[in-house]
């Protein structure tokens, strides 16, 4: 683990991978800023429950980070609620599938805004204080689609490849200040994000949900099982530790050998 109790801001942390990261980091004693598009009362309730379960401080913001102002609002909410983030996990992400020549322009803009521009704005907001402290950890949740392509995912692939490039630039620029910046590139992870694709296949082929899931995952991953989100939490625990202080600018696949092919 990191040396002391860090202040960990995780975007999109009220479900899926982000929530698993929040739980892992809370269990290790860190202060957590939860974030997601929930009603304030619901988000505050989640934050209080997490704080009570692990005896840590925990805040919540529902800032919409699809604009630069929203991203700035999230950092300002974090500073007000729990303090200056020393660990930033850019995890929030959305998906839309369509052929490139039929891709609605507004969906392209929305995917780019949340998956690529938000991490840019959040890093820009958080890096100056990390540089002042001569310590910081940034982890960007990209995807295997930051390393290879799939049909129907023009915006998602472009944004996730962009995030890998942005990670490398941030790592280079801040290597002098004890800040590491890495990307994690998951294949299939068991979260609400993948459910629509499983349901669509089950309906299209008239097969059971479990069969659709196995078929969908097995079509891409030599290991035909989804990653448990807790594994990503554990990776982030390691990347924020002293032992990982020279791992920077890396894009780490967690993909059942998908990108080894
Ligand atoms: P999820 O849908 O469970 O979580 C996404 C989170 O992002 C939610 O908390 C949601 O509230 C938040 N969010 C979305 N748009 C937002 C906005 N405009 N403003 C603020 N918050 C917003 O999905 P997940 O599977 O946990 O995905 C987390 C990350 O992991 C994403 O970046 C995704 O692309 C990536 N990823 C997921 C998988 C997978 O198989 N699940 C694979 C590779 C990469």
């Amino acid at each position: 683990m990191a040396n002391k109790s860090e202040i960990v801001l995780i975007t999109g942390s009220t479900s899926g991978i982000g929530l698993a990261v929040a739980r892992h980091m809370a269990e290790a004693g860190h202060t957590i800023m939860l974030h997601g598009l929930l009603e304030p009362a619901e988000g505050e309730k989640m934050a209080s429950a997490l704080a009570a379960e692990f005896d840590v401080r925990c805040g919540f913001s529902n800032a919409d980070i699809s604009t630069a102002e929203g991203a700035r609002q999230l950092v300002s909410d974090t500073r007000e609620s729990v303090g200056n983030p020393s660990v930033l996990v850019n995890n929030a992400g959305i998906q839309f599938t369509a052929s490139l020549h039929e891709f609605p322009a507004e969906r392209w803009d929305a995917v780019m805004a949340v998956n690529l521009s938000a991490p840019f704005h959040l890093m820009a907001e958080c890096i100056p204080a990390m540089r002042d402290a001569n310590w910081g950890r940034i982890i960007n949740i990209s995807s295997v689609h930051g390393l290879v392509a799939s049909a129907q995912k023009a915006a998602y692939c472009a944004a996730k490849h962009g995030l890998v490039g942005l990670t490398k630039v941030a790592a280079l620029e801040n290597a002098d200040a004890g800040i590491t910046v890495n990307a994690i590139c998951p294949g299939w992870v068991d979260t609400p994000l993948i459910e629509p694709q499983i349901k669509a296949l089950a309906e299209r082929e008239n097969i059971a949900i479990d069969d659709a899931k196995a078929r969908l995952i097995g079509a891409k991953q030599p290991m035909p099982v989804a990653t448990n989100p807790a594994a990503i939490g554990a990776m982030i625990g390691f990347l924020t530790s002293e032992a990982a202080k020279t791992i920077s600018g890396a894009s780490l696949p967690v993909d059942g050998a998908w990108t080894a092919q």
Side-chain angles (χ1 to χ4, degrees), residues 12-29:
S13 46
T14 53
S15 68
I17 294 172
L19 181 57
V21 173
R23 291 186 60 79
H24 185 94
M25 296 304 274
E27 193 171 10

Side-chain angles (χ1 to χ4, degrees), residues 219-240:
K220 295 281 187 177
Q221 286 194 191
M223 287 177 169
V225 282
T227 295
N228 186 324
I232 313 279
M235 279 181 84
I236 288 179
F238 174 65
L239 287 172
T240 56

